[in-house]
Amino acid sequence: MKVKIEKNKKRNIISEMFSLLAKEMGKLYIVQFIYMGVFFLLLSPFFSAIITNLLQMEGYRYLTQELMPIFFRKPLVIAAIILMFFMVCVCIQYIMLYSFEFIKRSYTNEKISAIMLLFTTGQKYILLLKQSYGRIFLTWIGIALFYNIPVIYLTGKFLPVPKVIIKALSKYPYVSTSFSLLVVLLCIHGFLRFFRLSYILFEGKKEKESRKLSIKLYMKNIWKTMAMWMGNNLLVVGIAILFYLISVLVTIGLLVLFVPNTLKIAVFCTIQEHIYNMILVVVLVLGMNLQITGSVILFYHCSPSQKVYEEEIPQNAFGIKKRILGGALILILGVDLIVTYDTIRNGGSVSLQHFGQICITSHRGDSAAAPENTLPAIESALKSTADYIEIDVQETKDGEVVLMHDDNLLRTTGFYGKVSDMTYKELKNLDAGGWFSKEYTNTKIPTLKEVLKLCKGKKKLNIEIKTGVNMPELEKKVVTLIEKYDFVRQCVVTSVYKESLNKVKELNEDIVTGYILSSAYGRYYLDEEIDFLSMRDSFVNERVIRLAHKYGKEVHVWTVNSERDVIRLSQLGVDNIITDKPDYVRQELYENTGNKIIIELLRVFL
């Protein structure tokens, strides 16, 4: 079949562009959003696993801002980054080519099979790379960046990893100037090659010829081209703002209906991060389609060639290809679902999970709302906006691992005696909640098994081992339970006893360990058995954090409950705040990152 692509110069360019966007574009957006969703969900864990393994090979657990200049100079790391960059480029180029093909066929009133076009686009992508000996790959990268300048800006502004990298680079002289110059060069490159892909895809021109023709056509229509590009970018930014406002209003509506008053602002702060991610995907897909649609229509309106370009459309029976494509899609979606479920159920990579963000740990469960280290306190903490729940564990006389902070039971049960001197059956008869309030009278001391079952797939745990001379098997029992309930990626183990952490690492080196320091002295950041330092807030200073981060270790701080301390510690750059008031700290952190106006508006509205 021959498809004729003819020009229509009588219609207004803008009206024709929006007419084309409204015509059959629902198919395009649905396919692209599915594609981008699969792309992010599949590649994110893959990239995270690469970085995590490289960190472990170099002897680090966490990637910190201070460590980045050292880590990213390693030859193997550079090779891995090039590989990841190449994979991202291929995925984006593929979806760009798909958009060009879809828009071209929609423009010529050709019947479109959005799913089958994914297959033929792949064939065409490989053919283009072969014909240009791969040179078009670099051209395509420049054009993709040029099309997605709003996405690049939003990525650097709101996403944690790029935001931290940009912040780190901004400390070096001339980085801002160099970046501005790079953007200018990118725009010049993009405008001069604005029509290059259209010449290659729609008129079958060779690479060199398409470059010359694109420059010539751009110079003749310079103001139209720049106006089209700028107008599309402004439209994308406007839609992003509108989408954000709608998301905020919908979120507020849901908060009013379903969330208690004390949690509304904290929950909104948590949801806000996910809204930014959604906006990024929407802006990426929408902005790219707008720019491609504008360039296609502008090309057909402005191209001096009167030649009718004919493209052969294969008429083969697609039975086998459909089966292959269907099988591939089912396989990809299956893997995607498994990876997603595994990440939700067992946690993601510790190394990059909260890169650039301060995590919050709820101290001894939600100890401000319910008796510490009890199931009511754990259940309350699960409803909070905390990232981790901290608990303390000890071993009974008959070998059961239970939750208890103090060596003596007197403070929380009224019974004078040690956990290690009693059996679990005897402990079950004690009241661990009456001291807090009458509401919690007869609350029992829970086992670690019960807590692991309750928190599985919901929250991460910070398990502090309270070992002693009568608990020689405590570390082994804790590790066994962590492995039994698949909690290795969903917990960290801490202790004031270095020997306990050594035992944990010997039993399972994948478990993240934190050393609870009683002072700020010592070179603990050099110890390979320690993955992070847990310190009292009064010990923390800039030097301690800088040294810990330099050697790939995080700094967790306890017990922080005041606004002044939250602000001070966030400015110092701590990685985790352990607190009795997780929702309050979440709110204070959000205000401290420049969202105070939004918080005040929420307070008025709610």
Side-chain angles (χ1 to χ4, degrees):
M1 181 178 94
K2 302 265 187 179
V3 178
K4 294 187 177 181
I5 302 173
E6 297 178 338
K7 306 173 196 177
N8 186 351
K9 296 190 178 182
K10 294 181 180 179
R11 293 178 63 182
N12 180 272
I13 293 176
I14 302 300
S15 63
E16 190 167 335
M17 182 177 129
F18 284 104
S19 173
L20 182 57
L21 284 170
K23 176 188 172 184
E24 290 194 272
M25 295 305 277
K27 292 180 185 177
L28 176 64
Y29 290 128
I30 290 171
V31 171
Q32 285 183 329
F33 277 118
I34 292 173
Y35 176 90
M36 294 302 292
V38 171
F39 165 69
F40 281 118
L41 287 172
L42 275 180
L43 289 190
S44 293
F46 177 69
F47 291 166
S48 181
I50 290 176
I51 297 296
T52 299
N53 288 325
L54 288 171
L55 280 167
Q56 290 176 351
M57 286 172 62
E58 297 294 333
Y60 305 119
R61 172 65 71 173
Y62 295 97
L63 179 61
T64 60
Q65 185 175 324
E66 287 80 359
L67 180 61
M68 283 194 298
I70 301 169
F71 182 67
F72 286 124
R73 285 204 298 263
K74 307 284 185 182
L76 199 57
V77 176
I78 293 171
I81 290 172
I82 292 171
L83 172 64
M84 290 187 286
F85 180 72
F86 175 79
M87 293 175 69
V88 170
C89 288
V90 168
C91 290
I92 292 177
Q93 288 175 4
Y94 183 83
I95 204 65
M96 278 180 65
L97 180 57
Y98 178 82
S99 295
F100 266 105
E101 290 292 313
F102 189 98
I103 291 165
K104 179 192 73 173
R105 296 184 188 208
S106 180
Y107 186 75
T108 56
N109 296 314
E110 182 185 347
K111 191 175 179 180
I112 303 167
S113 172
I115 300 297
M116 285 311 303
L117 192 58
L118 279 171
F119 184 81
T120 55
T121 298
Q123 291 179 317
K124 192 155 191 175
Y125 180 63
I126 294 170
L127 183 63
L128 285 170
L129 289 175
K130 284 182 178 179
Q131 288 176 347
S132 66
Y133 300 100
R135 287 191 297 269
I136 196 174
F137 185 84
L138 295 175
T139 299
W140 219 314
I141 292 172
I143 294 173
L145 292 172
F146 176 67
Y147 280 171
N148 293 295
I149 283 179
V151 177
I152 295 169
Y153 172 77
L154 291 174
T155 301
K157 184 76 175 174
F158 296 112
L159 294 193
V161 175
K163 192 175 180 180
V164 171
I165 292 172
I166 290 170
K167 184 179 178 181
L169 290 174
S170 64
K171 294 179 181 178
Y172 295 96
Y174 308 115
V175 166
S176 298
T177 305
S178 300
F179 182 76
S180 301
L181 181 61
L182 185 63
V183 171
V184 171
L185 293 174
L186 178 64
C187 289
I188 293 171
H189 174 276
F191 281 125
L192 294 176
R193 285 155 180 77
F194 197 81
F195 301 104
R196 189 174 180 186
L197 290 177
S198 295
Y199 274 114
I200 292 171
L201 297 174
F202 306 153
E203 292 197 357
K205 302 296 185 184
K206 299 298 181 183
E207 190 197 4
K208 288 184 179 179
E209 186 181 5
S210 68
R211 184 170 65 246
K212 293 177 182 177
L213 289 170
S214 176
I215 293 171
K216 187 177 180 181
L217 188 60
Y218 166 70
M219 296 307 293
K220 284 185 177 180
N221 300 275
I222 185 169
W223 298 116
K224 284 183 182 179
T225 308
M226 293 180 72
M228 175 71 75
W229 178 80
M230 182 61 72
N232 284 336
N233 278 330
L234 290 174
L235 182 59
V236 168
V237 171
I239 291 172
I241 293 171
L242 181 63
F243 183 80
Y244 174 76
L245 293 174
I246 292 172
S247 301
V248 168
L249 290 174
V250 170
T251 303
I252 289 173
L254 294 173
L255 292 176
V256 170
L257 292 173
F258 301 111
V259 179
N261 288 333
T262 54
L263 293 176
K264 281 183 171 61
I265 294 177
V267 171
F268 178 83
C269 298
T270 304
I271 294 174
Q272 191 77 358
E273 297 170 9
H274 300 291
I275 292 176
Y276 290 148
N277 291 333
M278 287 191 296
I279 290 174
L280 181 65
V281 175
V282 168
V283 170
L284 176 60
V285 173
L286 184 62
M288 187 169 61
N289 287 332
L290 279 171
Q291 295 292 8
I292 290 173
T293 304
S295 69
V296 169
I297 292 174
L298 202 59
F299 173 76
Y300 284 120
H301 275 261
C302 301
S303 175
S305 173
Q306 298 300 314
K307 174 184 173 183
V308 175
Y309 176 61
E310 296 181 340
E311 182 182 15
E312 290 288 344
I313 306 297
Q315 292 297 301
N316 304 336
F318 280 109
I320 297 176
K321 292 180 180 178
K322 280 183 179 178
R323 285 196 292 272
I324 294 172
L325 181 62
L329 287 173
I330 291 171
L331 179 63
I332 290 170
L333 289 173
V335 172
D336 187 32
L337 287 172
I338 292 170
V339 170
T340 305
Y341 174 79
D342 179 65
T343 302
I344 293 171
R345 178 86 175 152
N346 299 315
S349 166
V350 175
S351 305
L352 299 172
Q353 213 161 31
H354 298 284
F355 183 70
Q357 295 176 302
I358 299 176
C359 290
I360 297 172
T361 298
S362 190
H363 188 226
R364 303 179 194 175
D366 191 355
S367 55
E372 65 181 58
N373 282 313
T374 63
L375 290 183
I378 304 298
E379 289 167 351
S380 180
L382 287 172
K383 297 174 185 177
S384 74
T385 57
D387 302 292
Y388 288 81
I389 301 173
E390 189 264 349
I391 57 175
D392 307 282
V393 296
Q394 299 188 44
E395 185 182 356
T396 63
K397 186 177 181 180
D398 55 345
E400 187 69 53
V401 182
V402 297
L403 271 63
M404 180 60 60
H405 178 270
D406 296 358
D407 182 39
N408 197 295
L409 296 159
L410 183 63
R411 181 175 63 87
T412 56
T413 68
F415 178 84
Y416 187 87
K418 293 184 177 181
V419 174
S420 59
D421 292 336
M422 300 181 68
T423 64
Y424 178 59
K425 187 176 180 180
E426 292 171 332
L427 286 180
K428 284 174 68 176
N429 296 323
L430 301 178
D431 176 10
W435 67 275
F436 188 85
S437 71
K438 291 182 180 179
E439 179 187 352
Y440 295 104
T441 301
N442 293 323
T443 298
K444 304 304 177 187
I445 298 172
T447 64
L448 180 58
K449 292 176 187 176
E450 292 175 308
V451 175
L452 292 173
K453 288 179 183 178
L454 181 62
C455 295
K456 183 63 181 173
K458 299 172 185 175
K459 293 277 187 188
K460 299 180 183 64
L461 291 177
N462 177 335
I463 305 171
E464 180 180 344
I465 294 177
K466 296 282 188 179
T467 192
V469 291
N470 297 325
M471 305 178 194
E473 297 293 313
L474 180 56
E475 294 86 2
K476 184 177 180 180
K477 289 180 182 294
V478 169
V479 170
T480 300
L481 287 171
I482 288 172
E483 292 173 340
K484 180 180 177 180
Y485 291 96
D486 292 325
F487 244 85
V488 173
R489 296 190 345 243
Q490 205 179 331
C491 75
V492 297
V493 174
T494 58
S495 181
V496 297
Y497 302 103
K498 178 65 171 53
E499 296 78 9
S500 291
L501 301 181
N502 292 341
K503 287 181 183 179
V504 169
K505 281 295 188 184
E506 287 173 7
L507 293 164
N508 190 325
E509 63 179 11
D510 292 329
I511 294 176
V512 178
T513 55
Y515 190 25
I516 303 174
L517 298 173
S518 56
S519 70
Y521 302 102
R523 296 164 63 85
Y524 303 112
Y525 46 81
L526 297 175
D527 198 319
E528 294 183 0
E529 304 302 319
I530 299 171
D531 296 317
F532 66 89
L533 306 178
S534 184
M535 306 176 68
R536 185 187 296 274
D537 61 337
S538 58
F539 293 157
V540 178
N541 55 49
E542 187 179 354
R543 179 181 175 276
V544 168
I545 293 173
R546 188 179 70 254
L547 285 171
H549 284 178
K550 181 181 178 181
Y551 291 95
K553 301 189 190 301
E554 287 191 343
V555 178
H556 297 203
V557 186
W558 46 271
T559 303
V560 183
N561 294 317
S562 71
E563 177 186 356
R564 183 186 65 182
D565 288 335
V566 170
I567 293 173
R568 180 179 71 87
L569 293 168
S570 66
Q571 290 173 346
L572 284 174
V574 302
D575 304 287
N576 193 308
I577 291 177
I578 302 171
T579 176
D580 298 320
K581 305 174 182 178
D583 296 322
Y584 170 77
V585 171
R586 175 76 65 188
Q587 180 178 318
E588 291 299 324
L589 285 175
Y590 194 72
E591 287 190 26
N592 194 45
T593 54
N595 295 285
K596 199 157 190 170
I597 295 175
I598 295 175
I599 292 293
E600 291 303 322
L601 289 173
L602 281 172
R603 285 199 182 103
V604 172
F605 189 86
L606 297 173

